[in-house]
C-alpha cells in the first residue's frame, strides 16, 4: 500500500498518511497548522516513536524535493548540517558562559576579602599579575591588592582587624546570597538547585516549559556566581550542565528540525549536557560519558559523535579564555607522576568504602531534610532559610583557613604534591635542609602539618554537616565540588597517615620498595584525588564517567587503577544501602515521571494487572469505527479527559482498529462543523476508508475521519509480563500501549500507570507521581 | 494473575508459567530438560527478549531461595559476583594472550634477519640488552645478535651477502605464511581474517558454533604471530579482538548464568571485545567505546562498567609483561608536547579528506576483490593465494627499509619527533651543529630526508596496493595497522612538506608565529599521527572510539582537536562514497544476518508489504487453539519447517491467541505419546486453560498443551511503517513478530524477512542473506 497525498478538508491542509493509508500525520505543512498541533502541553510526556516518525517523514520530504531546484538542494544541505552547526553553537555558548561564570565567581569570591586598589575589576591573582608582570606570581609580595581593613587605613593585622575582616566577610556573604535568592525567586524559580534531576527527567521525554529558557539561563548563571561567592558549600559544576542545556534549548529554536520536534531536541540537549560537564571539569570525553551514563535516555550513536564534538568545542572555547591562568583546562591539574604500589590498593579501597558510606549517609539525610522542607512550614520561607544557612556557613567557615577559601581552591591544595619551595602548613615537614633531595623525599611531620590535620578534621565535620542542609536550598547549587572536597580532605588525611606509616616503618618489607629510591614514599595528593572520586561516586553513583573524568584530570593511565578500585568500592558499598544516587532520590522526591533505565524490575506482574480500567472501574472509553455520531463523540470529549481513544470495530466485539488522539479529534470535528457542508450532530463518523453508500443515501452527510486514525498503535497481550512491557516503554519511548486479548481490546497502559506500578512494587505511595 | 507451579506431565518436569498462566517456560529445572532445549541451532538467530526473560526468571528463583539456607545465600552471592569474576578472568586472559602474541611475533619477525647467538629465544632487542646490561640499548654496538650471513661466517656486508639476506628473508616469510595458512586450513577454518565482521554478527544475536572456540583461539593466536612475522601487510590488532572474544566465550562456560544464556553471554563478549582493543592499543577507554560504537548491539549501562573493568584488567596484565620494553602500554607513544596552530588545521583536514578518499577506494576495491575470490576459481586455492601474496610481499618489501621493517615499527618511526641525537634518514636535516638549540629547531632537508621521502613514497604505493589483496586471504589478518601505516606515511610526508614550507617562508605572517620561538616550526610526527587516524577512520568509519584511542596514544588533550578534525573530514568524505565501513562491507559480502543499528531506513513500506505470506503464497500455517488433533499437528510439523506456529481461535476467524515454538511442540507431543495414557492420533490438542467437559466425555483423551503456549507474542498492526518495525526488531532484539489487522492474524515477519527487505530497498539481491 503506498502513500497518497490529498487535501484534507477537515484539518484544512495537505495531508499525507504517515501511518499508512488512513492515519494521522501532522508534519508536512507545519506552518499551516492551527497553533499547538504537534506540540505537547506543559508537564506532559512525549511520544518518542511518533516524534521520530515525524522527523523521518520530514527528512524524506526534503530528500524528495532536493532534485527540484538548487534552492531545495541548499535547503537539504542546510538540513543535513544543521545538527552540527547547532551543537557547535551550543558548545561555543557553553564555553563562553563557563568562562564568564568562572571569572565572575573568582572576582566576587575575592571581593569578600579585599579589592584591587587600581583596577577594581581584577581579582586578586590578576591584580597581582598586573602589578608586577615580570616577576612570577607571589601572593605575599602583592602590593596592589588591599584587604578591606587595609583600605580603611588599618595595618591589616591585630585582633581588631581580624574582627573587622570577619564582619566584612559575613556582610558580603549575606549580600551575595540575598541577591542570589531574590533573583531566583523573582525572575526564574526554575534556576534553583542543581538542575540535573530535572534535566534527566526532561531528557527522558517530559516537558517542563521554561525550565531551559533564557531567563533561567541568565539567572542561573548570575545566581551561581553569587552563591559560590557567598562561600556556601556548593559548586558550580552541576549547574553548568543546566546552563549548557539552556543554551542547547535556546539554539535548537534556530533550527526547526530540532526546535519543533521534542524528540530531536533531546539529541541537542544530550550533547549540551556533555558540553556542560566538559567545561566544568575540562573533560570532554568524561562529559560525553556522563551524558551517556547519567543524564541521557535516548542516545543513538550519531548523538555520541555530536556530543563529543560539542563537548570538545566547549572545552576549546573555554581554554581560549584561559580562566584558570594556566594552559590546562582543569581546575586541579595533577603534574606529578609518582608510581603507586599494589599495597596501596588497600587504603584506596578503604577510601572507596568510606566514600560509599558517606554517599549513602548523605543521600539519606539530604532527602530526609528535603522531604521535611517540602512538608513542613519551612518550605514557605525559602529566603529566610538561605540567609540562615549563609550566616551559619560564613560564621563557622571564616576562622578555619580550609573552609574560608573557595572549595575548588581547597581541592586544588589537597591534590597537590609538596614541592621543595612550598611553605604552607600542608607541606611543613621536618626536612633536612642541607640534603639536595630532601625537598621531595618523605620526612617526619612538622608542626604545620599537624596543625593542618586538625584544621582539616574540623573542616571535614563542618563540610559534611553543612552540605546536607545546603543542597536543596533555593539558590543554584551543585554537589560535585562539595562532595569532592569532603573526599579530598579524607583522602589527604589518610594519605599523610600512610606516608608517615611508610616513612617510620620503611625497613618493613611491605614498605621497603615504596621508600627505597629516595623519593616520596607516598603521594598524599593522590590519596586526596582518589578520595574525591570515591566520595563523588558514593553520592552520585557514577561509574565509567567518574573514572574517565578523573582520568582526564590526572592525564595518565597510571592512576586509573586506583581510581577504578575506589570508584568500584564506593559504588558497591553505596548500593548496599540503597540503589539510588542523589539525583534519582531527588527525582523521586519531586515525583517526576522518570522511567529509570538502569533499575531492574524484578516483579512478576502481568500487563493485565497494571492496565486500566481496573476490575471494578467503568469500562474504557472507546470510539467505534463506523457507528458513533458527531454528537456522541463531542459528549465523549466533554466527559472524559483522556489524551486519546482506542477505536474498535463495535462496542460489542471490541476488536481493536486503531487509536485517535484527543487533540486531533477535537480539531477535526471543530473544523468539519465550521467548514464542511452537511455535518450535523447526527452525522455518523467513519474511521474506515470506505463509507457504505446506503448510509450516505439515508441519513445526514457522514464525516470521514480515517485520516486522523493511527492504524498502527503499539499493542500487547494481556499476559505480557510487566518486565517486557517496561522494556518496550523504555526502549521504544512509548507514551501508552493498548492491551488486547485474542484481538479484543481490554485496556490501556500509560507511562504514568507504569511509574505508579513501579512505585507500588517498591512500597512507595503511587500518588507521588505528580505528572503524566 | 499469579504464577502457579505444577508438574507438567508432557515435558516431564516441574513447570512454572513464565509468560503468565499458561505459557512456555524452559528455565527452572534446566538440568532435567531433554538436550537442546533452550539452546539454539547453529546459524540461527537468538530471541533476546526470551533469553533475557529466562535470565530474570532464574535470578528471581535465586533471590527467592536465598533465605532458605546459607548454602543458597552463598550461591546467590556467587551469582551476583560471577559477572565481575568472569570479566576479570577474560581481561587477564586477553592480557596474557596479547603479551604472548607480542613477544612471539617480535621474536619471529627478527628471526627473518638473524638470531641471538647465545640465547636463541631472545629477540634482537632483548639479545642486545642481555649482552650489555649496563649500557643503554644501542643497535649498532650489539655483538651477540648475528644476522644469518654473519652466522654462516660471512662479514655481513657486500652484494653477495645482500642477496643471501634477501633469500633468507623470503625463505622465512614463505615458511611462516605456509605454516599459518596450513594451521588455519587444518585445525580452525574460522581463525582466518580479522574476525570483527563475524563478532559484530554474533553480538547482534546470531549463533556461529565454533567461531569463538578454543581451537580458533589457539590457531588464531599462533597464526597471527606467523602471519605478522611473515611480513605480510596485516596487523594483529583486529584479530586480538577475536582472540579476546574467544577468551570471553570460553570463560563464560564456567558460569552457567552466561554460558547457558546466549543473550547474557553477549554481555561478556562485549566486554571481551573492549579488552581486545584495550590490549591492542593500550587504550582501555578507547576499547570500551569501540565495543560500544563498533561491535556491540545490546549494551546496557551495566555492561559499560564491566567492559571498562575488563579492558582495564587486560591493559594492566599486559603492562605487567611489558612487551614493548617501556613503561607505556602503547606501541607508538608520543612524548612530545609541541603546540599546534590554527593554520595547521588546513593540512590536518586535507589529511582527513585523503584518509576518507583512501578508505572509500580501499573498501570498494577490497570488497570487489573478495567478491571475485568468492565467485571465481581463485577461492578454491586459498593456500596458493597466500603463498603468492607472501612471495610478492617479501620480494617487493625487502629492498625498501620502510617496508622491510615491521609495520608497527614503521608507524613508531613515523610518529616520532626527531631528537638531537637521532641519526637516521628521517631526521637527517642540515643543521648548524654549533648551535645549542639546533638539535630540535627546524632546518633545511638533508640528503637523508630526501632519500627517505622517495622511499616512503614507494612504500606508500606498495602498501596501498598489497593491502587490498592481503585483507581477506585465509590467514589471521587485521586491518588497523596497515591502514594506519598508509595514513602515517602520507601524514609524515605532508608534515615534512609543511615544515619546509614554514621554514622557508618563516617571515610570512601566517608562518611567523609558528617559527618564532626557536623551536620546531612543525612537528611532522604529529602529521603522521593525524594521518594514521584519518586513514583508519576512512576505512572503518569509526568516530568517537577512533579519536579516543588516538587520544590515549598521545596522552593529552592538546592534540584532540586536530585528531577530531581529521576524523570528521575522513568520515564525511568516506560516507559521500558509501556509508559502509569495511566491516559492514564484509558482513554484507558474506551475507551474515546483521541488522545494522546505525543505518537509517528511509523507505515508506508498511509491515503488510514485508510480511509473509505474500499475496499469491499459500496461507500461513497456523494452529487452532481447540480443534486440531495430534495427527494433524504431527503432519503440520512434518510438512513445514517453520520455527514456530501462531495459535488462533479458529481457522475461520484467525483471531490471534499466541505462539508456539516448533521445538516445544515436537517435544511435548513426543513426550505425551510416550508417557501419557490415552493420547492417540485422534486426541484433540487444547491450548486453552479450560478443556470443555463434553469433549472429554465423548472422544479420546484430550491433550492439554497450554503450558507451552506463549500467550504474549509481540504483534504489530499491518499498517505499521517498516521503520517502526525495524526499530522494534533492533531495540527489542526480536526474532519474529506477528502481523494482525483488527485482531486477526495476517502474517509473520522474521528477522530474515526484514533483512531481505532492506537488501531489496538497497537494490541488492535479497537472496544474499544466507542464514536466519
Amino acid at each position: 500500500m503506498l502513500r497518497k497525498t490529498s487535501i484534507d478538508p477537515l484539518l484544512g491542509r495537505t495531508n499525507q498518511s504517515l501511518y499508512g493509508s488512513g492515519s494521522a500525520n501532522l508534519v508536512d505543512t507545519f506552518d499551516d497548522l492551527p497553533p499547538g498541533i504537534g506540540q505537547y502541553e506543559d508537564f506532559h510526556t512525549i511520544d518518542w516513536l511518533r516524534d521520530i516518525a515525524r522527523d523521518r517523514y520530514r527528512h524524506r520530504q526534503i530528500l524528495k524535493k532536493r532534485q527540484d531546484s538548487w534552492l531545495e538542494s541548499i535547503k537539504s544541505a542546510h538540513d543535513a548540517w544543521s545538527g552540527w552547526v547547532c551543537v557547535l553553537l551550543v558548545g561555543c555558548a557553553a564555553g563562553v558562559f563557563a568562562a564568564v561564570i568562572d571569572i565572575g565567581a573568582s572576582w566576587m569570591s575575592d571581593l569578600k576579602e579585599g579589592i584591587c586598589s587600581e583596577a577594581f575589576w581584577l581579582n586578586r591573582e590578576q591584580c597581582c599579575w598586573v602589578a608586577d608582570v615580570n616577576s612570577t606570581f607571589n601572593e605575599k609580595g602583592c602590593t596592589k591588592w588591599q584587604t578591606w581593613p587595609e583600605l580603611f587605613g588599618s595595618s591589616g593585622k591585630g585582633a581588631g582587624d581580624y574582627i573587622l575582616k570577619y564582619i566584612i566577610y559575613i556582610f558580603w556573604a549575606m549580600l551575595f546570597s540575598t541577591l542570589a535568592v531574590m533573583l531566583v525567586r523573582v525572575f526564574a524559580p526554575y534556576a534553583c538547585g542543581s538542575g540535573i534531576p530535572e534535566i534527566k527527567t526532561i531528557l527522558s521525554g517530559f516537558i517542563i516549559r521554561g525550565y531551559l529558557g533564557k531567563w533561567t539561563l541568565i539567572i542561573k548563571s548570575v545566581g551561581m556566581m553569587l552563591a559560590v561567592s557567598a562561600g556556601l558549600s556548593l559548586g558550580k559544576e552541576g549547574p553548568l550542565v543546566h546552563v549548557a542545556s539552556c543554551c542547547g534549548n535556546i539554539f535548537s529554536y534556530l533550527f526547526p528540525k530540532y526546535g519543533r520536534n521534542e524528540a530531536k531536541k533531546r539529541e541537542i540537549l544530550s550533547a549540551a549536557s556533555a558540553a556542560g560537564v566538559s567545561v566544568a571539569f575540562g573533560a570532554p570525553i568524561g562529559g560525553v560519558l556522563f551524558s551517556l551514563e547519567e543524564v541521557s535516555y535516548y542516545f543513538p550513536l550519531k548523538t555520541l559523535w555530536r556530543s563529543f564534538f560539542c563537548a570538545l568545542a566547549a572545552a576549546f572555547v573555554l581554554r581560549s579564555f584561559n580562566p584558570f591562568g594556566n594552559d590546562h583546562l582543569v581546575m586541579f591539574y595533577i603534574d606529578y607522576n609518582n608510581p603507586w604500589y599494589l599495597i596501596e590498593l588497600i587504603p584506596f579501597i578503604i577510601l572507596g568504602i568510606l566514600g560509599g558510606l558517606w554517599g549513602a549517609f548523605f543521600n539519606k539525610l539530604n532527602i530526609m531534610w528535603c522531604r521535611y522542607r517540602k512538608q513542613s512550614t519551612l518550605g514557605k520561607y525559602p529566603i529566610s532559610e538561605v540567609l540562615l544557612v549563609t550566616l551559619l556557613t560564613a560564621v563557622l567557615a571564616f576562622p578555619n583557613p580550609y573552609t574560608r577559601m573557595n572549595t575548588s581552591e581547597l581541592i586544588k591544595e589537597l591534590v597537590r604534591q609538596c614541592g621543595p619551595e612550598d611553605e604552607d602548613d600542608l607541606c611543613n615537614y621536618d626536612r633536612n635542609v642541607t640534603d639536595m633531595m630532601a625537598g621531595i623525599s618523605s620526612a617526619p611531620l612538622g608542626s604545620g602539618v599537624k596543625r593542618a590535620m586538625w584544621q582539616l578534621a574540623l573542616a571535614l565535620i563542618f563540610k559534611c554537616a553543612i552540605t546536607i542542609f545546603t543542597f536543596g536550598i533555593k539558590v543554584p547549587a551543585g554537589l560535585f565540588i562539595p562532595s569532592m572536597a569532603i573526599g579530598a580532605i579524607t583522602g589527604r588525611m589518610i594519605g599523610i597517615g600512610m606516608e608517615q606509616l611508610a616513612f617510620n616503618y620503611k625497613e618493613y618489607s611491605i614498605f621497603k620498595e615504596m621508600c627505597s629510591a629516595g623519593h616520596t614514599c607516598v603521594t598524599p595528593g593522590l590519596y586526596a584525588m582518589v578520595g574525591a572520586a570515591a566520595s563523588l561516586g558514593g553520592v552520585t553513583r557514577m561509574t565509567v564517567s567518574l573514572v574517565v573524568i578523573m582520568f582526564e584530570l590526572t592525564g595518565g593511565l597510571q592512576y586509573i587503577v586506583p581510581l577504578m578500585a575506589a570508584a568500584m568500592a564506593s559504588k558497591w558499598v553505596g548500593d548496599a544501602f540503597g540503589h539510588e544516587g542523589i539525583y534519582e532520590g531527588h527525582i523521586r522526591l519531586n515525583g517526576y515521571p522518570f522511567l529509570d533505565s538502569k533499575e531492574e524490575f524484578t516483579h512478576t506482574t502481568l500487563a493485565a494487572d497494571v492496565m486500566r480500567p481496573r476490575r471494578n472501574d467503568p469500562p474504557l472509553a472507546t470510539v467505534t469505527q463506523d457507528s458513533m455520531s458527531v454528537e456522541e463523540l463531542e459528549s465523549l470529549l466533554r466527559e472524559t479527559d483522556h489524551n486519546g481513544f482506542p477505536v474498535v470495530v463495535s462496542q460489542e466485539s471490541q476488536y481493536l482498529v486503531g487509536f485517535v488522539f484527543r487533540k486531533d479529534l477535537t480539531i477535526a470535528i471543530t473544523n468539519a462543523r465550521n467548514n464542511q457542508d452537511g455535518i450535523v450532530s447526527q452525522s455518523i463518523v467513519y474511521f474506515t476508508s470506505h463509507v457504505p453508500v446506503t448510509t450516505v443515501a439515508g441519513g445526514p452527510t457522514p464525516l470521514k475521519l480515517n485520516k486522523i486514525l493511527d492504524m498502527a498503535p503499539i499493542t500487547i497481550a494481556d499476559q505480557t509480563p510487566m518486565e517486557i512491557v517496561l522494556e518496550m516503554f523504555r526502549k521504544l519511548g512509548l507514551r501508552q500501549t493498548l492491551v488486547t486479548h485474542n484481538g479484543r481490546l481490554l485496556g490501556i497502559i500509560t507511562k504514568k500507570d507504569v511509574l505508579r506500578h513501579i512505585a507500588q512494587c517498591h512500597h512507595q505511595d503511587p500518588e507521588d507521581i505528580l505528572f503524566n
Side-chain angles (χ1 to χ4, degrees), chain A:
Chain A
M1 235 171 281
L2 291 169
R3 287 313 78 60
K4 47 187 177 182
T5 309
S6 61
I7 301 289
D8 183 347
L10 301 171
L11 299 171
R13 58 198 159 88
T14 308
N15 196 340
Q16 193 193 9
S17 293
L18 178 67
Y19 295 108
S21 60
S23 62
N25 164 32
L26 310 166
V27 189
D28 40 350
T29 53
F30 221 112
D31 301 320
D32 309 342
L33 287 187
I37 279 267
Q39 286 169 19
Y40 298 91
E41 281 163 52
D42 205 0
F43 301 117
H44 269 62
T45 303
I46 70 169
D47 187 333
W48 292 86
L49 268 187
R50 202 180 183 215
D51 275 14
I52 291 166
R54 265 177 53 195
D55 182 66
R56 290 224 184 94
Y57 178 79
R58 193 195 52 76
H59 185 60
R60 271 200 295 274
Q61 292 296 98
I62 287 174
L63 287 186
K64 212 188 284 170
K65 280 191 209 152
R66 191 167 55 178
Q67 273 84 38
D68 295 358
S69 71
W70 60 268
L71 190 71
E72 291 296 338
S73 46
I74 289 178
K75 268 192 197 166
S76 153
H78 168 74
D79 183 73
W81 278 85
S82 62
W84 289 98
V85 176
C86 188
V87 293
L88 178 66
L89 291 175
V90 172
C92 293
V96 171
F97 268 94
V100 169
I101 290 167
D102 278 336
I103 292 167
S106 143
W107 177 71
M108 286 202 284
S109 289
D110 287 344
L111 207 60
K112 280 185 302 188
E113 300 194 358
I115 199 162
C116 193
S117 56
E118 292 190 348
F120 71 91
W121 58 88
L122 297 178
N123 68 15
R124 185 163 58 186
E125 194 173 348
Q126 290 161 334
C127 181
C128 298
W129 264 104
V130 170
D132 193 0
V133 182
N134 293 323
S135 80
T136 52
F137 171 58
N138 185 348
E139 210 170 310
K140 297 266 162 58
C142 176
T143 52
K144 296 281 187 291
W145 179 259
Q146 294 194 290
T147 61
W148 294 112
E150 283 169 359
L151 204 71
F152 300 149
S154 160
S155 69
K157 297 202 170 58
D161 280 348
Y162 184 80
I163 290 167
L164 188 61
K165 274 188 188 171
Y166 203 161
I167 290 168
I168 291 171
Y169 182 92
I170 293 170
F171 163 76
W172 281 112
M174 295 300 283
L175 180 69
F176 288 151
S177 75
T178 311
L179 270 174
V181 72
M182 294 303 289
L183 281 175
V184 169
R185 294 298 294 174
V186 175
F187 294 105
Y190 284 143
C192 70
S194 125
I196 293 180
E198 287 80 9
I199 289 168
K200 280 186 79 158
T201 310
I202 290 173
L203 282 172
S204 82
F206 190 64
I207 309 278
I208 310 181
R209 294 223 179 284
Y211 199 85
L212 301 175
K214 57 182 179 306
W215 278 109
T216 311
L217 172 64
I218 296 166
I219 298 302
K220 187 121 195 180
S221 306
V222 176
M224 215 146 82
M225 292 188 236
L226 289 166
V228 168
S229 310
L232 286 165
S233 177
L234 45 79
K236 56 191 183 323
E237 278 60 31
L240 272 176
V241 176
H242 189 178
V243 165
S245 299
C246 289
C247 296
N249 182 50
I250 291 166
F251 280 111
S252 75
Y253 285 108
L254 295 182
F255 304 92
K257 179 179 177 181
Y258 296 101
R260 281 184 168 168
N261 189 319
E262 291 290 340
K264 291 293 282 178
K265 190 197 278 177
R266 274 149 187 75
E267 291 181 14
I268 301 292
L269 293 182
S270 287
S273 58
V277 175
S278 168
V279 289
F281 291 103
I285 301 171
V288 174
L289 287 173
F290 178 82
S291 176
L292 170 69
E293 186 188 358
E294 194 62 26
V295 297
S296 290
Y297 193 85
Y298 168 74
F299 206 86
L301 283 169
K302 211 172 52 183
T303 311
L304 192 73
W305 186 216
R306 280 200 193 145
S307 299
F308 191 53
F309 179 69
C310 185
L312 203 62
F316 196 67
V317 168
L318 177 63
R319 203 178 69 161
S320 316
F321 281 92
N322 196 10
F324 304 119
N326 58 17
D327 262 352
H328 301 294
L329 266 174
V330 294
M331 251 175 294
F332 11 96
Y333 181 78
I334 287 185
D335 51 0
Y336 45 84
N337 202 19
N338 307 336
W340 59 274
Y341 299 92
L342 270 183
I343 184 84
E344 289 188 276
L345 274 182
I346 297 168
F348 292 147
I349 287 171
I350 291 173
L351 276 175
I353 293 169
L354 289 176
L357 288 175
W358 155 248
F361 173 79
F362 172 82
N363 289 3
K364 200 148 278 177
L365 285 191
N366 181 254
I367 297 283
M368 265 173 64
W369 178 250
C370 289
R371 177 162 294 130
Y372 170 75
R373 182 189 294 123
K374 258 179 108 109
Q375 290 165 352
S376 71
T377 50
L378 179 67
K380 299 201 183 92
Y381 306 103
I383 301 178
S384 321
E385 190 196 356
V386 170
L387 293 182
L388 197 69
V389 171
T390 313
L391 187 66
L392 209 67
T393 311
V395 169
L396 294 175
F398 185 82
N400 188 336
Y402 294 111
T403 50
R404 196 195 312 170
M405 66 170 70
N406 233 335
T407 317
S408 49
E409 287 287 327
L410 171 64
I411 299 174
K412 211 193 226 168
E413 281 282 292
L414 292 169
V415 301
R416 210 160 48 95
Q417 177 170 235
C418 288
E421 284 164 14
D422 288 313
E423 285 168 9
D424 53 312
D425 275 358
L426 265 178
C427 294
N428 184 276
Y429 289 88
D430 272 341
R431 293 190 200 284
N432 182 358
V433 282
T434 55
D435 183 359
M436 259 274 291
M437 295 296 286
I440 54 156
S441 71
S442 287
L445 294 183
S447 59
V449 183
K450 282 176 191 154
R451 187 167 55 242
M453 291 285 269
W454 270 110
Q455 288 172 339
L456 283 178
L458 289 173
L460 180 63
I461 294 166
F462 168 72
K463 286 263 174 204
C464 284
I466 202 75
T467 307
I468 292 169
F469 298 101
T470 306
F471 188 68
I473 60 173
K474 300 290 174 204
V475 292
L479 193 56
F480 280 20
I481 288 290
S483 49
M484 282 174 81
I486 287 164
I489 296 174
T490 319
R492 185 83 189 197
M493 288 169 68
I494 290 183
I496 291 176
M498 267 301 285
E499 184 187 36
Q500 292 306 312
L501 197 71
F503 178 72
N504 290 329
Y505 299 97
K506 60 184 164 212
E507 66 280 6
Y508 279 42
S509 59
I510 51 166
F511 296 126
K512 208 159 202 169
E513 197 195 4
M514 290 165 67
C515 284
S516 64
H519 55 68
T520 321
C521 301
V522 163
T523 315
L526 174 61
Y527 284 70
M529 201 74 186
V530 171
S535 162
L536 186 55
V539 172
T540 61
R541 307 293 156 81
M542 286 153 65
T543 56
V544 183
S545 47
L546 174 68
V547 177
V548 173
I549 288 173
M550 288 293 169
F551 161 75
E552 286 188 81
L553 293 186
T554 57
L557 272 178
Q558 192 155 28
Y559 300 134
I560 209 169
V561 171
L563 288 169
M564 178 106 188
M568 281 176 81
S570 151
K571 163 108 177 137
W572 282 337
V573 170
D575 279 354
F577 293 93
H579 275 274
E580 274 180 352
I582 187 75
Y583 299 129
E584 285 80 35
H586 275 263
I587 285 175
R588 198 160 49 73
L589 180 71
N590 292 320
Y592 297 131
F594 178 71
L595 196 55
D596 197 343
S597 54
K598 273 176 270 186
E599 209 174 352
E600 280 200 23
F601 182 79
T602 53
H603 298 269
T604 53
T605 40
L606 299 179
D609 308 330
V610 178
M611 73 178 190
R612 284 177 309 167
R614 299 298 166 82
R615 202 152 298 164
N616 300 316
D617 284 356
L620 195 66
T622 54
V623 171
T624 57
Q625 64 174 351
D626 55 3
S627 59
M628 280 176 90
S629 67
V630 169
E631 203 174 23
E632 283 171 306
L633 279 176
E634 281 171 337
S635 81
L636 183 71
L637 284 169
R638 256 197 317 278
E639 284 156 20
T640 61
D641 58 352
H642 303 313
N643 271 307
F645 306 92
V647 178
V648 293
V649 173
S650 66
Q651 291 293 0
E652 301 75 45
S653 75
Q654 291 280 330
Y655 286 115
L656 183 68
V657 174
F659 192 81
V660 63
F661 285 95
R662 180 196 193 81
K663 209 163 199 171
D664 298 352
L665 194 59
T666 316
I667 293 172
I669 291 179
T670 316
N671 256 313
R673 282 245 189 203
N674 297 340
N675 307 335
Q676 208 175 335
D677 291 335
I679 300 295
V680 293
S681 299
Q682 272 69 43
S683 295
I684 299 294
V685 179
Y686 284 89
F687 289 97
T688 52
S689 44
H690 298 288
V691 176
V693 187
T694 51
T695 324
V696 179
T701 320
L703 174 53
K704 270 186 77 178
L705 286 187
N706 60 329
K707 291 261 159 55
I708 62 163
L709 179 68
D710 175 4
M711 287 184 74
I714 302 287
T715 58
I716 52 169
D718 59 336
Q719 297 295 312
T720 315
M722 269 312 286
E723 52 194 19
I724 294 201
V725 178
L726 212 64
E727 199 90 328
M728 290 177 72
F729 267 90
R730 280 175 188 158
K731 293 200 171 154
L732 302 177
L734 301 183
R735 200 185 181 293
Q736 73 270 318
T737 176
L738 299 171
V739 182
T740 61
H741 178 78
N742 295 7
R744 282 193 168 88
L745 179 72
L746 283 189
I748 190 168
I749 297 181
T750 63
K751 196 167 172 184
K752 194 176 177 178
D753 297 327
V754 173
L755 287 164
R756 275 200 184 126
H757 181 67
I758 293 174
Q760 239 164 0
C761 288
H762 291 179
H763 306 292
Q764 292 154 4
D765 181 12
E767 296 314 313
D768 264 358
I769 311 294
L770 291 181
F771 318 109
N772 184 21

